[in-house]
Protein backbone atom coordinates (compact mmCIF):
# COMPACT_ATOMS: atom_id res chain seq x y z
CA UNK A 1 0.00 0.00 0.00
CA UNK A 2 1.00 3.62 -0.36
CA UNK A 3 0.77 6.93 1.47
CA UNK A 4 -0.32 10.03 -0.42
CA UNK A 5 -0.01 13.67 0.58
CA UNK A 6 0.80 17.01 -1.01
CA UNK A 7 4.22 18.56 -0.97
CA UNK A 8 4.82 22.08 -2.26
CA UNK A 9 1.47 22.06 -4.07
CA UNK A 10 1.94 18.72 -5.84
CA UNK A 11 0.53 15.31 -5.01
CA UNK A 12 3.14 12.87 -3.77
CA UNK A 13 2.81 9.10 -3.34
CA UNK A 14 5.19 7.08 -1.16
CA UNK A 15 5.40 3.38 -0.30
CA UNK A 16 4.06 2.82 3.22
CA UNK A 17 6.76 3.51 5.77
CA UNK A 18 7.03 4.61 9.38
CA UNK A 19 10.26 6.48 8.73
CA UNK A 20 10.38 10.11 9.76
CA UNK A 21 9.27 12.76 7.30
CA UNK A 22 12.75 14.25 7.53
CA UNK A 23 14.39 11.08 6.21
CA UNK A 24 11.86 10.65 3.41
CA UNK A 25 12.18 14.25 2.24
CA UNK A 26 15.97 14.08 2.19
CA UNK A 27 15.84 10.80 0.25
CA UNK A 28 13.72 12.66 -2.28
CA UNK A 29 16.44 15.26 -2.68
CA UNK A 30 14.97 18.07 -0.56
CA UNK A 31 18.13 19.22 1.18
CA UNK A 32 16.67 22.37 2.80
CA UNK A 33 15.41 19.89 5.40
CA UNK A 34 18.62 19.73 7.42
CA UNK A 35 19.90 17.25 9.97
CA UNK A 36 20.05 18.47 13.55
CA UNK A 37 19.22 17.40 17.07
CA UNK A 38 16.73 14.67 15.99
CA UNK A 39 14.68 15.60 19.07
CA UNK A 40 12.42 18.26 17.56
CA UNK A 41 13.96 21.33 19.14
CA UNK A 42 16.70 22.84 16.95
CA UNK A 43 14.45 23.75 14.00
CA UNK A 44 16.89 22.68 11.29
CA UNK A 45 14.42 20.16 9.81
CA UNK A 46 11.33 22.34 10.19
CA UNK A 47 8.59 22.30 7.53
CA UNK A 48 5.03 23.58 7.34
CA UNK A 49 2.39 20.89 7.86
CA UNK A 50 -1.04 22.30 6.97
CA UNK A 51 0.38 25.81 7.48
CA UNK A 52 1.87 25.07 10.92
CA UNK A 53 5.63 24.73 11.50
CA UNK A 54 6.57 21.27 12.76
CA UNK A 55 9.82 19.32 13.23
CA UNK A 56 9.92 16.78 10.40
CA UNK A 57 12.26 14.53 12.41
CA UNK A 58 9.43 13.77 14.86
CA UNK A 59 6.67 12.99 12.35
CA UNK A 60 6.19 9.51 10.98
CA UNK A 61 5.20 9.60 7.31
CA UNK A 62 2.55 7.02 8.23
CA UNK A 63 0.74 9.71 10.24
CA UNK A 64 0.25 11.92 7.16
CA UNK A 65 -2.98 11.50 5.20
CA UNK A 66 -4.11 12.45 1.67
CA UNK A 67 -5.34 15.98 2.39
CA UNK A 68 -2.27 16.96 4.44
CA UNK A 69 0.17 19.34 2.74
CA UNK A 70 3.87 19.85 3.38
CA UNK A 71 5.64 23.10 2.48
CA UNK A 72 9.45 23.15 2.56
CA UNK A 73 11.67 26.20 3.02
CA UNK A 74 12.68 26.54 -0.62
CA UNK A 75 9.06 26.60 -1.79
CA UNK A 76 8.10 28.96 1.02
CA UNK A 77 10.81 31.46 0.07
CA UNK A 78 9.81 31.37 -3.61
CA UNK A 79 6.03 31.64 -3.29
CA UNK A 80 4.99 33.15 0.07
CA UNK A 81 5.04 36.97 0.32
CA UNK A 82 5.63 36.60 4.07
CA UNK A 83 9.06 35.14 3.29
CA UNK A 84 10.18 38.49 1.87
CA UNK A 85 8.82 40.36 4.90
CA UNK A 86 10.79 38.06 7.18
CA UNK A 87 13.97 38.33 5.11
CA UNK A 88 13.74 42.14 5.22
CA UNK A 89 13.19 42.05 8.98
CA UNK A 90 16.22 39.83 9.49
CA UNK A 91 18.32 42.08 7.27
CA UNK A 92 17.30 45.18 9.23
CA UNK A 93 18.26 43.44 12.48
CA UNK A 94 21.68 42.61 11.03
CA UNK A 95 21.15 38.85 10.82
CA UNK A 96 23.39 37.21 8.21
CA UNK A 97 21.73 33.85 7.53
CA UNK A 98 24.13 30.91 7.33
CA UNK A 99 21.77 28.67 5.33
CA UNK A 100 21.78 25.78 7.79
CA UNK A 101 19.39 27.01 10.47
CA UNK A 102 17.15 29.10 8.19
CA UNK A 103 14.09 26.83 8.31
CA UNK A 104 13.58 27.18 12.05
CA UNK A 105 13.93 30.95 11.92
CA UNK A 106 11.69 31.57 8.89
CA UNK A 107 8.89 29.18 9.84
CA UNK A 108 8.82 30.23 13.51
CA UNK A 109 8.63 33.88 12.43
CA UNK A 110 5.86 33.05 9.94
CA UNK A 111 3.80 31.33 12.65
CA UNK A 112 4.27 34.16 15.15
CA UNK A 113 3.18 36.83 12.67
CA UNK A 114 -0.09 35.18 11.64
CA UNK A 115 -2.31 36.90 14.19
CA UNK A 116 -1.10 40.43 14.77
CA UNK A 117 2.05 41.68 16.42
CA UNK A 118 3.42 39.23 18.99
CA UNK A 119 4.87 40.42 22.28
CA UNK A 120 8.62 40.26 22.80
CA UNK A 121 8.07 37.72 25.58
CA UNK A 122 6.12 35.44 23.27
CA UNK A 123 8.75 35.67 20.54
CA UNK A 124 11.61 34.91 22.94
CA UNK A 125 9.73 31.90 24.30
CA UNK A 126 9.08 30.61 20.77
CA UNK A 127 12.69 30.91 19.57
CA UNK A 128 14.10 29.42 22.76
CA UNK A 129 15.85 26.18 21.88
CA UNK A 130 16.21 26.93 18.16
CA UNK A 131 19.64 26.41 16.64
CA UNK A 132 20.55 30.08 16.19
CA UNK A 133 24.10 29.45 15.07
CA UNK A 134 24.36 32.69 13.05
CA UNK A 135 22.70 35.03 15.55
CA UNK A 136 21.36 35.18 19.12
CA UNK A 137 17.84 35.04 20.54
CA UNK A 138 17.57 38.77 21.22
CA UNK A 139 18.63 39.73 17.70
CA UNK A 140 16.35 37.09 16.19
CA UNK A 141 13.47 38.47 18.25
CA UNK A 142 14.27 41.96 16.96
CA UNK A 143 14.29 40.68 13.36
CA UNK A 144 10.88 39.01 13.77
CA UNK A 145 9.34 42.19 15.17
CA UNK A 146 10.84 44.18 12.28
CA UNK A 147 9.30 41.61 9.91
CA UNK A 148 5.89 42.42 11.34
CA UNK A 149 6.37 46.07 10.35
CA UNK A 150 7.31 45.04 6.80
CA UNK A 151 4.28 42.75 6.64
CA UNK A 152 1.95 45.58 7.71
CA UNK A 153 3.50 47.90 5.11
CA UNK A 154 3.01 45.30 2.37
CA UNK A 155 -0.59 44.64 3.41
CA UNK A 156 -1.30 48.34 3.30
CA UNK A 157 0.03 48.53 -0.25
CA UNK A 158 -2.14 45.58 -1.24
CA UNK A 159 -5.28 46.81 0.53
CA UNK A 160 -7.00 47.68 -2.75
CA UNK A 161 -6.41 44.22 -4.15
CA UNK A 162 -9.20 41.65 -3.77
CA UNK A 163 -6.81 38.72 -3.57
CA UNK A 164 -3.26 38.27 -2.33
CA UNK A 165 -0.69 35.56 -2.47
CA UNK A 166 -1.38 34.74 1.15
CA UNK A 167 -4.02 32.30 -0.10
CA UNK A 168 -1.13 30.09 -1.20
CA UNK A 169 -0.60 29.21 2.45
CA UNK A 170 -4.07 27.68 2.78
CA UNK A 171 -4.42 23.92 2.47
CA UNK A 172 -5.86 23.27 -1.02
CA UNK A 173 -8.93 21.12 -1.49
CA UNK A 174 -8.26 17.51 -2.31
CA UNK A 175 -8.16 17.00 -6.08
CA UNK A 176 -9.74 13.58 -5.74
CA UNK A 177 -12.98 13.74 -3.70
CA UNK A 178 -12.90 10.00 -3.15
CA UNK A 179 -9.76 10.40 -1.08
CA UNK A 180 -11.65 12.53 1.47
CA UNK A 181 -13.31 9.39 2.79
CA UNK A 182 -10.13 7.38 3.07
CA UNK A 183 -9.29 6.68 6.69
CA UNK A 184 -6.54 4.10 6.43
CA UNK A 185 -2.89 3.94 5.38
CA UNK A 186 -1.82 0.31 5.60
CA UNK A 187 0.46 -2.46 4.42
CA UNK A 188 1.49 -5.88 5.63
CA UNK A 189 3.64 -4.41 8.40
CA UNK A 190 1.11 -2.10 10.05
CA UNK A 191 -1.97 0.08 9.84
CA UNK A 192 -2.67 3.77 10.43
CA UNK A 193 -6.33 4.79 10.73
CA UNK A 194 -7.79 8.31 10.63
CA UNK A 195 -11.38 8.12 11.92
CA UNK A 196 -13.45 11.30 11.68
CA UNK A 197 -15.65 10.64 14.72
CA UNK A 198 -15.33 8.97 18.11
CA UNK A 199 -17.89 6.35 17.08
CA UNK A 200 -15.82 5.53 14.02
CA UNK A 201 -12.73 5.19 16.21
CA UNK A 202 -14.50 2.57 18.34
CA UNK A 203 -15.51 0.69 15.19
CA UNK A 204 -11.85 0.55 14.16
CA UNK A 205 -10.97 -0.74 17.64
CA UNK A 206 -13.48 -3.57 17.33
CA UNK A 207 -11.94 -4.71 14.04
CA UNK A 208 -8.31 -4.21 15.17
CA UNK A 209 -7.89 -5.30 18.80
CA UNK A 210 -4.09 -4.79 18.73
CA UNK A 211 -4.05 -0.98 18.65
CA UNK A 212 -2.98 2.18 20.39
CA UNK A 213 -4.36 5.68 20.12
CA UNK A 214 -2.30 8.59 18.85
CA UNK A 215 -3.08 12.30 18.84
CA UNK A 216 -0.01 14.24 17.70
CA UNK A 217 1.68 11.11 16.34
CA UNK A 218 5.10 11.91 17.77
CA UNK A 219 5.50 9.51 20.69
CA UNK A 220 8.98 9.54 22.23
CA UNK A 221 10.62 9.78 25.66
CA UNK A 222 10.37 13.55 25.22
CA UNK A 223 7.48 14.88 27.25
CA UNK A 224 6.44 17.31 24.56
CA UNK A 225 6.23 14.54 22.01
CA UNK A 226 4.10 12.07 23.94
CA UNK A 227 0.67 11.74 22.39
CA UNK A 228 -0.49 8.24 23.13
CA UNK A 229 -3.44 7.67 25.44
CA UNK A 230 -4.04 4.05 26.31
CA UNK A 231 -0.66 2.49 26.99
CA UNK A 232 1.52 1.91 30.01
CA UNK A 233 4.80 1.63 28.14
CA UNK A 234 6.18 2.50 24.73
CA UNK A 235 4.47 0.19 22.23
CA UNK A 236 6.38 -2.32 20.17
CA UNK A 237 5.68 -3.32 17.54
CA UNK A 238 3.29 -0.72 16.14
CA UNK A 239 0.61 -2.90 14.58
CA UNK A 240 -2.45 -0.64 14.50
CA UNK A 241 -2.40 3.08 15.19
CA UNK A 242 -5.61 5.06 15.51
CA UNK A 243 -5.01 8.77 14.99
CA UNK A 244 -7.39 11.28 16.58
CA UNK A 245 -6.25 14.26 14.53
CA UNK A 246 -9.23 14.13 12.11
CA UNK A 247 -11.90 14.12 14.87
CA UNK A 248 -13.04 17.73 14.91
CA UNK A 249 -14.98 17.52 18.19
CA UNK A 250 -11.70 16.77 20.00
CA UNK A 251 -10.03 19.91 18.65
CA UNK A 252 -12.28 22.66 20.00
CA UNK A 253 -12.08 25.03 22.97
CA UNK A 254 -15.47 26.20 24.20
CA UNK A 255 -16.39 28.56 27.03
CA UNK A 256 -19.53 27.72 28.99
CA UNK A 257 -21.14 29.63 31.83
CA UNK A 258 -19.20 27.88 34.58
CA UNK A 259 -16.34 26.10 32.86
CA UNK A 260 -14.05 25.95 29.84
CA UNK A 261 -14.15 22.73 27.81
CA UNK A 262 -11.00 21.67 25.95
CA UNK A 263 -10.87 18.84 23.42
CA UNK A 264 -8.21 16.23 24.16
CA UNK A 265 -6.66 16.68 20.68
CA UNK A 266 -6.19 20.45 21.05
CA UNK A 267 -2.53 21.27 20.47
CA UNK A 268 -0.44 22.93 23.14
CA UNK A 269 0.13 26.03 20.99
CA UNK A 270 -3.64 26.35 20.50
CA UNK A 271 -3.94 26.53 24.29
CA UNK A 272 -1.25 29.18 24.46
CA UNK A 273 -3.00 31.24 21.80
CA UNK A 274 -6.42 31.10 23.49
CA UNK A 275 -7.01 34.04 25.82
CA UNK A 276 -9.62 32.26 27.96
CA UNK A 277 -7.24 29.55 29.19
CA UNK A 278 -6.29 30.06 32.88
CA UNK A 279 -2.85 31.60 33.28
CA UNK A 280 -1.44 28.74 35.39
CA UNK A 281 -2.23 26.27 32.58
CA UNK A 282 -0.79 28.61 29.94
CA UNK A 283 2.39 28.94 32.00
CA UNK A 284 2.72 25.17 32.32
CA UNK A 285 2.26 24.68 28.56
CA UNK A 286 4.81 27.39 27.71
CA UNK A 287 7.51 25.33 29.43
CA UNK A 288 6.97 22.23 27.31
CA UNK A 289 9.39 21.59 24.46
CA UNK A 290 9.87 23.85 21.46
CA UNK A 291 7.39 26.08 19.61
CA UNK A 292 7.19 23.67 16.66
CA UNK A 293 6.74 20.63 18.92
CA UNK A 294 3.82 22.37 20.61
CA UNK A 295 2.16 22.60 17.18
CA UNK A 296 2.05 18.78 17.21
CA UNK A 297 1.70 17.81 20.86
CA UNK A 298 -1.75 17.75 22.44
CA UNK A 299 -3.17 18.37 25.88
CA UNK A 300 -4.56 14.81 25.98
CA UNK A 301 -1.20 13.31 25.10
CA UNK A 302 0.50 15.34 27.83
CA UNK A 303 -2.05 14.19 30.41
CA UNK A 304 -1.67 10.53 29.43
CA UNK A 305 2.13 10.25 29.57
CA UNK A 306 2.83 6.76 30.92
CA UNK A 307 4.64 6.44 34.27
CA UNK A 308 5.02 10.18 34.72
CA UNK A 309 2.80 13.22 34.91
CA UNK A 310 3.63 15.99 32.47
CA UNK A 311 3.91 19.72 32.95
CA UNK A 312 0.18 20.38 32.70
CA UNK A 313 -0.76 17.89 35.41
CA UNK A 314 -0.20 20.00 38.54
CA UNK A 315 -1.97 22.95 36.89
CA UNK A 316 -5.00 20.78 36.04
CA UNK A 317 -5.08 19.37 39.56
CA UNK A 318 -4.94 22.84 41.10
CA UNK A 319 -7.70 24.00 38.76
CA UNK A 320 -9.98 21.11 39.85
CA UNK A 321 -10.22 19.93 36.25
CA UNK A 322 -12.58 17.16 35.24
CA UNK A 323 -11.87 14.64 32.49
CA UNK A 324 -14.46 13.14 30.15
CA UNK A 325 -13.70 9.59 29.03
CA UNK A 326 -15.63 7.83 26.26
CA UNK A 327 -15.94 4.07 25.99
CA UNK A 328 -17.90 1.68 23.79
CA UNK A 329 -20.24 -1.05 24.95
CA UNK A 330 -21.90 -3.08 22.19
CA UNK A 331 -21.38 -0.20 19.76
CA UNK A 332 -23.02 2.26 22.18
CA UNK A 333 -20.88 5.20 23.21
CA UNK A 334 -20.71 5.75 26.97
CA UNK A 335 -19.16 8.78 28.64
CA UNK A 336 -18.03 9.24 32.22
CA UNK A 337 -16.55 12.26 33.97
CA UNK A 338 -13.88 11.99 36.68
CA UNK A 339 -12.00 14.52 38.79
CA UNK A 340 -8.35 15.04 37.94
CA UNK A 341 -7.17 13.50 41.23
CA UNK A 342 -9.19 10.34 40.43
CA UNK A 343 -8.00 10.05 36.83
CA UNK A 344 -6.19 7.00 35.52
CA UNK A 345 -4.93 6.64 31.97
CA UNK A 346 -7.64 5.35 29.59
CA UNK A 347 -7.95 1.60 29.49
CA UNK A 348 -8.75 -0.69 26.54
CA UNK A 349 -11.42 0.80 24.27
CA UNK A 350 -11.44 4.12 26.15
CA UNK A 351 -10.62 7.58 24.80
CA UNK A 352 -9.95 10.74 26.77
CA UNK A 353 -12.22 13.24 24.98
CA UNK A 354 -12.62 16.46 27.00
CA UNK A 355 -11.02 18.44 29.80
CA UNK A 356 -13.33 20.75 31.77
CA UNK A 357 -11.88 23.56 33.85
CA UNK A 358 -14.06 25.56 36.28
CA UNK A 359 -14.00 29.34 35.78
CA UNK A 360 -12.55 31.17 38.78
CA UNK A 361 -11.12 34.61 39.41
CA UNK A 362 -7.64 33.75 40.68
CA UNK A 363 -5.83 36.76 42.13
CA UNK A 364 -2.53 34.87 42.44
CA UNK A 365 -1.40 32.31 39.88
CA UNK A 366 2.05 30.69 40.06
CA UNK A 367 3.52 27.81 38.09
CA UNK A 368 7.06 26.47 38.42
CA UNK A 369 8.65 23.52 36.67
CA UNK A 370 11.57 21.52 38.02
CA UNK A 371 13.92 19.99 35.46
CA UNK A 372 14.53 20.41 31.76
CA UNK A 373 11.80 21.73 29.44
CA UNK A 374 12.85 19.10 26.90
CA UNK A 375 12.97 15.80 28.76
CA UNK A 376 11.20 13.90 31.52
CA UNK A 377 13.25 12.19 34.20
CA UNK A 378 12.88 11.29 37.88
CA UNK A 379 13.54 14.85 39.02
CA UNK A 380 11.00 16.49 36.71
CA UNK A 381 8.04 17.95 38.58
CA UNK A 382 5.45 20.72 38.35
CA UNK A 383 4.25 23.07 41.09
CA UNK A 384 1.04 25.10 40.87
CA UNK A 385 -0.25 27.64 43.38
CA UNK A 386 -3.58 29.46 43.09
CA UNK A 387 -5.22 31.93 45.45
CA UNK A 388 -8.64 33.56 45.24
CA UNK A 389 -9.27 36.53 47.52
CA UNK A 390 -12.31 38.49 48.62
CA UNK A 391 -11.87 41.86 50.35
CA UNK A 392 -8.19 41.12 51.02
CA UNK A 393 -9.01 37.78 52.67
CA UNK A 394 -8.05 34.36 51.31
CA UNK A 395 -11.22 32.77 50.02
CA UNK A 396 -9.79 29.79 48.15
CA UNK A 397 -6.30 28.31 47.86
CA UNK A 398 -5.06 25.46 45.67
CA UNK A 399 -1.63 23.87 45.83
CA UNK A 400 -0.53 21.00 43.58
CA UNK A 401 2.81 19.28 43.09
CA UNK A 402 3.23 16.41 40.64
CA UNK A 403 5.83 14.33 38.88
CA UNK A 404 7.06 10.77 39.10
CA UNK A 405 5.06 10.41 42.30
CA UNK A 406 2.39 12.97 43.07
CA UNK A 407 1.66 15.07 46.09
CA UNK A 408 -1.53 17.05 45.75
CA UNK A 409 -3.23 19.36 48.20
CA UNK A 410 -6.55 21.02 47.45
CA UNK A 411 -7.61 22.90 50.57
CA UNK A 412 -8.70 19.82 52.52
CA UNK A 413 -7.93 17.19 49.88
CA UNK A 414 -4.63 15.43 50.03
CA UNK A 415 -3.48 12.64 47.77
CA UNK A 416 -0.35 10.69 47.00
CA UNK A 417 -0.84 8.62 43.85
CA UNK A 418 1.69 5.90 44.56
CA UNK A 419 -0.21 4.87 47.69
CA UNK A 420 -3.59 5.40 46.01
CA UNK A 421 -4.83 7.64 48.82
CA UNK A 422 -7.96 9.67 48.17
CA UNK A 423 -8.56 11.21 51.59
CA UNK A 424 -10.29 14.22 52.97
CA UNK A 425 -8.40 15.39 56.03
CA UNK A 426 -9.86 17.82 58.50
CA UNK A 427 -6.76 20.00 58.53
CA UNK A 428 -4.41 20.20 55.56
CA UNK A 429 -1.22 22.21 55.56
CA UNK A 430 -2.93 25.26 54.03
CA UNK A 431 -6.39 24.98 55.61
CA UNK A 432 -5.45 27.48 58.34
CA UNK A 433 -4.89 30.09 55.62
CA UNK A 434 -8.55 30.14 54.54
CA UNK A 435 -10.14 33.35 55.80
CA UNK A 436 -6.82 34.96 56.71
CA UNK A 437 -6.21 38.55 55.76
CA UNK A 438 -3.43 39.49 53.34
CA UNK A 439 -0.59 40.24 53.98
CA UNK A 440 0.13 37.03 55.84
CA UNK A 441 2.41 37.16 58.90
CA UNK A 442 5.70 35.28 58.58
CA UNK A 443 4.82 33.11 61.59
CA UNK A 444 1.77 31.72 59.78
CA UNK A 445 3.84 30.93 56.69
CA UNK A 446 6.43 29.09 58.79
CA UNK A 447 3.66 27.06 60.42
CA UNK A 448 2.24 26.15 57.00
CA UNK A 449 5.67 25.05 55.75
CA UNK A 450 6.19 22.89 58.86
CA UNK A 451 2.78 21.26 58.39
CA UNK A 452 3.54 20.67 54.71
CA UNK A 453 6.82 18.96 55.57
CA UNK A 454 5.05 16.70 58.05
CA UNK A 455 2.29 15.72 55.63
CA UNK A 456 4.75 15.21 52.77
CA UNK A 457 6.77 12.79 54.92
CA UNK A 458 3.70 10.95 56.23
CA UNK A 459 2.13 10.41 52.84
CA UNK A 460 5.20 9.86 50.68
CA UNK A 461 7.38 8.02 53.17
CA UNK A 462 10.54 6.65 51.61
CA UNK A 463 9.12 6.86 48.08
CA UNK A 464 10.04 10.53 47.66
CA UNK A 465 13.41 11.92 46.63
CA UNK A 466 14.83 14.14 49.44
CA UNK A 467 15.88 16.68 46.81
CA UNK A 468 12.35 16.83 45.40
CA UNK A 469 10.93 17.28 48.89
CA UNK A 470 13.31 20.16 49.58
CA UNK A 471 12.46 21.79 46.27
CA UNK A 472 8.76 21.47 47.02
CA UNK A 473 9.18 23.25 50.36
CA UNK A 474 11.24 25.99 48.72
CA UNK A 475 8.62 26.52 46.01
CA UNK A 476 5.84 26.57 48.60
CA UNK A 477 7.64 29.14 50.72
CA UNK A 478 8.37 31.32 47.71
CA UNK A 479 4.69 31.20 46.69
CA UNK A 480 3.38 31.95 50.18
CA UNK A 481 5.75 34.89 50.51
CA UNK A 482 3.92 36.48 47.58
CA UNK A 483 1.04 36.90 50.04
CA UNK A 484 3.09 38.76 52.65
Amino acid sequence: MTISYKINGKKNVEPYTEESLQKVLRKNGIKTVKLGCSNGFCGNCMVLLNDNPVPSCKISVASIQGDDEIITLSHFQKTFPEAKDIAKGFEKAGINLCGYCDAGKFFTAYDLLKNGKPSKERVLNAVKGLNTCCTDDETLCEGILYAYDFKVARKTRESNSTTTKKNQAAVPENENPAEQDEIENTDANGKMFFPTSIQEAFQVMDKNPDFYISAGGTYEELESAVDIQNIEAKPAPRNTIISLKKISELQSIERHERYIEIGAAVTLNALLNHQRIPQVLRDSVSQIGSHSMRNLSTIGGNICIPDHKGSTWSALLALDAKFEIASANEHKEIKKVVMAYEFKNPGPKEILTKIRIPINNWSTSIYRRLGSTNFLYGGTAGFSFLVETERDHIYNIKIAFSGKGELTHHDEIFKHKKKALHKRVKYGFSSDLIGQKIPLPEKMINTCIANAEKIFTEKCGNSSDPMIEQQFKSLLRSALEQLM
Side-chain angles (χ1 to χ4, degrees), residues 35 212 250 265 348 360 432:
L35 300 175
Y212 68 84
L250 302 185
N360 289 85
D432 290 340

Side-chain angles (χ1 to χ4, degrees), residues 86-99:
I86 296 167
K88 290 177 181 178
F90 288 173
E91 183 180 2
K92 184 175 179 179
I95 300 173
N96 295 313
L97 296 169
C98 66

Side-chain angles (χ1 to χ4, degrees), residues 260-289:
I260 297 172
E261 188 172 75
I262 304 169
V266 168
T267 65
L268 300 183
N269 267 347
L271 289 177
L272 279 180
N273 295 333
H274 199 285
Q275 298 304 313
R276 298 289 188 176
I277 299 301
Q279 188 61 44
V280 70
L281 182 57
R282 288 163 58 89
D283 289 343
S284 69
V285 169
S286 71
Q287 297 187 42
I288 299 175

Side-chain angles (χ1 to χ4, degrees), residues 177-192:
E179 291 181 0
Q180 298 285 2
D181 297 326
E182 183 180 4
I183 66 165
E184 177 184 350
N185 286 332
T186 179
D187 78 347
N189 297 320
K191 297 179 181 180
M192 185 82 184

Side-chain angles (χ1 to χ4, degrees), residues 193-240:
F193 291 91
F194 298 88
T196 57
S197 68
I198 295 174
Q199 187 63 41
E200 191 175 335
F202 285 128
Q203 291 172 3
V204 175
M205 293 178 194
D206 288 338
K207 296 177 182 178
N208 301 271
D210 186 13
F211 69 89
Y212 68 84
I213 298 172
S214 165
T218 57
Y219 181 78
E220 289 291 346
E221 276 72 13
L222 294 172
E223 170 188 4
S224 56
V226 172
D227 276 296
I228 293 179
Q229 285 197 10
N230 59 340
I231 60 171
E232 296 181 356
K234 190 172 181 178
R238 301 182 177 190
N239 292 320
T240 299

